[in-house]
């Protein structure tokens, strides 16, 4: 068989799998079901939509119930807890498989890129049928076909890739918003982080492919896109000719029918004045910036290999706020990095108090083997880390509440995202700055952008009233 493109080859395997699945369905007298469970970040969620897209084309019916004919875990390994969670859930899956020996269990994603994980799975979790990694998500149909035909376990992990495969099927969790990959991998090697090892080197997608994908999404009802990359600010550096992230944004802005543009994640070291200018001028780019700080101590930032100081970070925030006064700023912070002293921690608290983040994700440092930080001395004792973590969280929560209260009594544009599961007759949506608001409405409002009066700030969210449709 010869194919001109990878997607053509994969389509061939999708068709082959579909024949097998159809005959199984006929024998069983029912549809076969597939459940994809995602752990970790937005990148993984996006990959899962591609994985489910392939499985749907093969003929599997999507389910959220893990008592399915095929269960695929898309794993995360950024912190050790994520790994432990997978091993625990696998124990539970094996019990389900005992009752349904035909069941296929697959594992993919970041954790599979670690050789010691795969070794452990092969030794102690032999009921797993398919294992693949982050670089060959597009191969699912081919790997599944091999498993269906041979009855044997299939394992295919690539160490890296330069390939970007376009034009594969994908399903979308939401009809009106979608993540869009603009780049893959990371070249930054922050000393605590395993991502560059499991996601490989930075690769940017062609602007033409990105624009085409967004146009197609908009034709299908999407009004908001989230541009995804580990470090979107370095988008395009590997392209020939080079294209900056700011230039890409300007092109995306021109797409008719698209109403909101978000992106993540921005690395402070690469955030250009050009980008700030583009955001300030834009009607579509949401006034929100996720700007991971990690630590407020210049000393630790150096050891973390972050390439900015506390002062540079604060200046950047000042510049952002000057150009875009209503911008919502969020962050990631790690507590308990090796060698973190009370003074270092106080520097972090100081940045939190100066920046006044709208919200922040806080993480306890987790040792990832293979990263430079794992070999560093002076791991911080657990009780000290816990104490710092609690102090940090209470400062962040207090500030978040105060910041939320500032918009109480104003009217803001809100994209209605879902029916509220807790309050009957209510829906929930997001402001441009990403804050959540609950208001009266029905499922017919989902996907609409409406003006909402923020009647009451309730800690981290609002209760609002629809003023009128825009
Ligand atoms: N320990 C704790 N947090 C980590 N992160 C990345 N690696 C680690 C680690 N080893 C956090 C960073 C990053 C976020 C996605 O996860 O804050 O921004
Ligand atoms: Fe990890 Fe740093 Fe890359 Fe973010 S920028 S994925 S923290 S190495």
């Amino acid at each position: 068989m010869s194919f001109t493109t990878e997607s053509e080859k994969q389509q061939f395997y999708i068709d082959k799998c579909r024949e097998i699945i159809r005959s199984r369905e006929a024998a069983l007298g029912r549809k076969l079901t597939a459940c994809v469970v995602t752990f970790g970040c937005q990148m993984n969620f996006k990959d899962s939509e591609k994985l489910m897209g392939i499985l749907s084309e093969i003929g599997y019916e999507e389910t959220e119930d893990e008592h399915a004919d095929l269960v695929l875990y898309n794993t995360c390994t950024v912190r050790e807890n994520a790994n432990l969670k997978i091993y625990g859930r696998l124990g539970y899956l094996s019990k389900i498989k005992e009752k349904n020996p035909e069941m296929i269990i697959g594992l993919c994603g970041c954790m599979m890129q670690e050789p010691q994980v795969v070794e452990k799975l092969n030794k102690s979790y032999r009921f797993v049928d398919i294992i693949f990694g982050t670089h060959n998500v597009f191969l699912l149909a081919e790997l599944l076909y091999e498993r269906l035909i041979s009855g044997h376990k299939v394992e295919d992990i690539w160490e890296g890739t330069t390939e970007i495969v376009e034009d594969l099927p994908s399903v979308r969790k939401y009809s009106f918003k979608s993540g869009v990959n603009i780049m893959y991998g990371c070249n930054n090697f922050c000393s605590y982080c395993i991502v560059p090892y499991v996601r490989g080197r930075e690769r940017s997608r062609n602007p033409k492919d990105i624009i085409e994908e967004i146009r197609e999404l908009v034709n299908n009802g999407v009004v908001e896109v989230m541009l995804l990359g580990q470090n979107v600010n370095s988008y395009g550096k590997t392209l020939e000719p080079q294209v900056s992230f700011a230039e890409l944004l300007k092109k995306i802005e021109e797409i008719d029918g698209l109403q909101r543009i978000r992106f993540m994640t921005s690395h402070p070291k690469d955030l250009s004045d050009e980008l700030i200018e583009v955001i300030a001028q834009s009607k579509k780019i949401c006034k929100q910036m996720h700007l991971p700080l990690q630590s407020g101590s210049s000393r630790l930032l150096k050891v973390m290999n972050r390439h900015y100081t506390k002062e540079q970070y604060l200046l950047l925030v000042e510049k952002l706020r000057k150009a875009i006064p209503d911008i919502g700023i969020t962050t990631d912070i790690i507590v308990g990095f090796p060698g973190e002293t009370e003074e270092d921690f106080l520097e972090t608290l100081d940045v939190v108090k100066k920046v006044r983040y709208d919200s922040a994700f806080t993480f306890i440092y987790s040792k990832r083997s293979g990263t430079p930080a794992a070999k560093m001395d002076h791991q911080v004792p657990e009780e000290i880390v816990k104490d710092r973590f609690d102090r940090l969280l209470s400062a962040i929560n207090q500030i978040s509440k105060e910041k939320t209260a500032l918009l109480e009594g104003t009217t803001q544009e809100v994209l209605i995202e879902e029916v509220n599961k807790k309050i009957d007759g209510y829906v929930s949506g997001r402001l441009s700055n990403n804050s959540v608001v609950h208001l009266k409405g029905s499922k017919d409002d989902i996907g609409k952008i409406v003006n909402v009066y923020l009647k009451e700030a309730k800690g981290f969210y609002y209760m609002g009233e629809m003023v009128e449709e825009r």
Side-chain angles (χ1 to χ4, degrees):
M1 243 350 125
S2 78
F3 304 98
T4 44
T5 63
E6 184 61 44
S7 64
E8 213 178 291
K9 179 162 157 241
Q10 293 311 314
Q11 195 56 52
F12 169 81
Y13 284 108
I14 287 175
D15 296 341
K16 284 282 187 196
C17 287
R18 193 187 297 125
E19 285 168 24
I20 300 174
I21 296 307
R22 277 209 188 119
S23 71
R24 287 232 169 133
E25 278 174 6
L28 290 168
R30 63 170 176 86
K31 292 287 267 179
L32 293 190
T33 53
C35 170
V36 178
V37 186
T38 314
F39 301 84
C41 67
Q42 301 253 8
M43 291 280 182
N44 269 14
F45 275 89
K46 182 67 195 178
D47 282 347
S48 290
E49 291 189 345
K50 295 178 189 167
L51 293 163
M52 197 60 232
I54 295 169
L55 293 172
S56 299
E57 284 227 346
I58 288 172
Y60 283 99
E61 211 159 71
E62 185 173 358
T63 173
E64 285 181 11
D65 184 351
E66 288 173 48
H67 293 79
D69 297 295
L70 185 151
V71 174
L72 182 58
Y73 282 176
N74 189 3
T75 62
C76 169
T77 187
V78 75
R79 284 168 292 275
E80 195 182 5
N81 257 347
N83 290 36
L84 298 177
K85 223 185 320 183
I86 296 291
Y87 293 124
R89 296 270 294 245
L90 276 177
Y92 161 72
L93 267 196
S94 75
K95 297 275 176 303
I96 303 180
K97 186 160 175 164
E98 274 168 21
K99 293 195 192 113
N100 176 14
E102 295 277 291
M103 176 183 185
I104 292 179
I105 298 179
L107 291 176
C108 65
C110 296
M111 209 175 136
M112 300 307 119
Q113 294 294 138
E114 294 180 275
Q116 72 275 19
V117 167
V118 176
E119 210 173 284
K120 179 166 171 167
L121 290 168
N122 285 335
K123 211 162 130 206
S124 315
Y125 297 82
R126 300 175 63 89
F127 53 88
V128 176
D129 301 281
I130 303 175
I131 297 182
F132 56 105
T134 53
H135 302 299
N136 53 352
V137 164
F138 61 88
L139 278 185
L140 174 60
E142 189 174 339
L143 302 176
L144 178 61
Y145 178 70
E146 204 180 319
R147 168 65 186 74
L148 291 170
I149 289 295
S150 72
H152 297 143
K153 174 175 189 162
V154 175
E155 184 185 312
D156 191 12
I157 317 271
W158 296 6
E159 263 186 38
T161 184
T162 49
E163 201 168 0
I164 295 178
V165 178
E166 300 285 349
D167 300 328
L168 282 170
S170 180
V171 293
R172 271 188 288 119
K173 185 157 185 266
Y174 297 99
S175 59
F176 57 90
K177 68 171 182 178
S178 177
V180 174
N181 295 112
I182 62 165
M183 60 196 302
Y184 301 92
C186 180
N187 286 354
N188 290 313
F189 291 94
C190 301
S191 62
Y192 50 82
C193 184
I194 200 159
V195 169
Y197 305 89
V198 296
R199 288 254 169 204
R201 294 295 64 70
E202 219 168 86
R203 298 159 326 269
S204 294
R205 278 180 79 196
N206 237 306
K208 193 171 130 279
D209 291 329
I210 298 170
I211 304 281
E212 245 166 50
E213 179 179 340
I214 300 178
R215 283 224 174 90
E216 183 67 25
L217 287 168
V218 170
N219 285 341
N220 288 314
V222 164
V223 292
E224 176 179 305
V225 289
M226 166 74 91
L227 309 176
L228 299 171
Q230 303 294 352
N231 176 9
V232 291
N233 303 127
S234 74
Y235 170 81
K237 286 191 181 149
T238 53
L239 290 175
E240 203 44 69
Q242 280 198 6
V243 184
S244 71
F245 181 51
E247 284 161 353
L248 176 72
L249 279 173
K250 280 199 250 176
K251 289 195 182 135
I252 295 176
E253 173 108 18
E254 286 166 15
I255 299 176
D256 273 342
L258 181 65
Q259 306 207 43
R260 278 185 167 186
I261 305 167
R262 296 188 193 274
F263 53 82
M264 73 186 305
T265 291
S266 295
H267 194 307
K269 81 177 163 67
D270 295 316
L271 204 146
S272 67
D273 291 350
E274 186 197 10
L275 177 62
I276 297 177
E277 183 63 28
V278 170
I279 303 172
Q281 300 292 324
S282 168
K283 296 220 159 41
K284 296 185 182 176
I285 302 173
C286 288
K287 305 297 180 249
Q288 173 211 359
M289 175 72 69
H290 186 65
L291 199 60
L293 168 70
Q294 312 300 5
S295 167
S297 151
S298 296
R299 186 188 75 81
L300 274 194
L301 284 167
K302 196 161 175 32
V303 189
M304 286 177 163
N305 196 30
R306 291 290 291 174
H307 297 282
Y308 54 85
T309 61
K310 174 186 180 187
E311 289 70 29
Q312 284 166 332
Y313 185 96
L314 287 172
L315 267 177
L316 186 58
V317 169
E318 208 179 296
K319 215 159 40 169
L320 267 170
R321 288 236 165 93
K322 196 161 167 227
I324 315 153
D326 50 350
I327 194 162
I329 301 182
T330 56
T331 201
D332 291 343
I333 296 173
I334 297 176
V335 179
F337 183 82
E340 183 189 71
T341 61
E342 179 64 17
E343 288 71 45
D344 293 321
F345 175 70
L346 290 176
E347 298 274 20
T348 299
L349 264 186
D350 187 45
V351 176
V352 164
K353 287 174 185 161
K354 288 196 165 111
V355 173
R356 298 182 60 76
Y357 293 105
D358 291 74
S359 69
F361 297 100
T362 47
F363 305 105
I364 288 182
Y365 168 73
S366 170
K367 190 170 169 174
R368 308 313 289 130
S369 53
T371 63
K375 293 193 210 80
M376 291 177 190
D377 295 335
H378 310 300
Q379 303 278 336
V380 185
E382 207 178 311
E383 328 74 76
I384 297 187
V385 178
K386 274 234 56 179
D387 174 63
R388 288 181 190 158
F389 186 83
D390 292 345
R391 282 150 70 200
L392 179 65
L393 202 62
S394 83
I396 287 169
N397 287 348
Q398 180 59 35
I399 293 166
S400 278
K401 267 191 218 165
E402 289 166 16
K403 294 225 51 174
T404 310
L406 291 178
L407 290 184
E408 191 179 74
T410 66
T411 296
Q412 303 285 335
E413 279 181 9
V414 171
L415 171 60
I416 307 294
E417 302 206 333
E418 57 197 0
V419 170
N420 191 302
K421 289 179 199 88
K422 292 200 185 120
I423 324 172
D424 235 15
Y426 272 67
V427 289
S428 306
R430 281 180 193 274
L431 317 191
S432 173
N433 75 5
N434 214 29
S435 298
V436 172
V437 51
H438 307 299
L439 60 148
K440 269 195 189 130
S442 73
K443 71 174 185 347
D444 298 336
D445 298 318
I446 291 175
K448 287 184 189 160
I449 294 188
V450 294
N451 284 326
V452 174
Y453 174 69
L454 304 178
K455 209 163 110 187
E456 197 185 352
K458 290 236 182 203
F460 309 110
Y461 63 90
Y462 302 94
M463 299 308 292
E465 270 167 15
M466 203 180 296
V467 175
E468 74 206 26
E469 279 188 28
R470 210 165 56 138

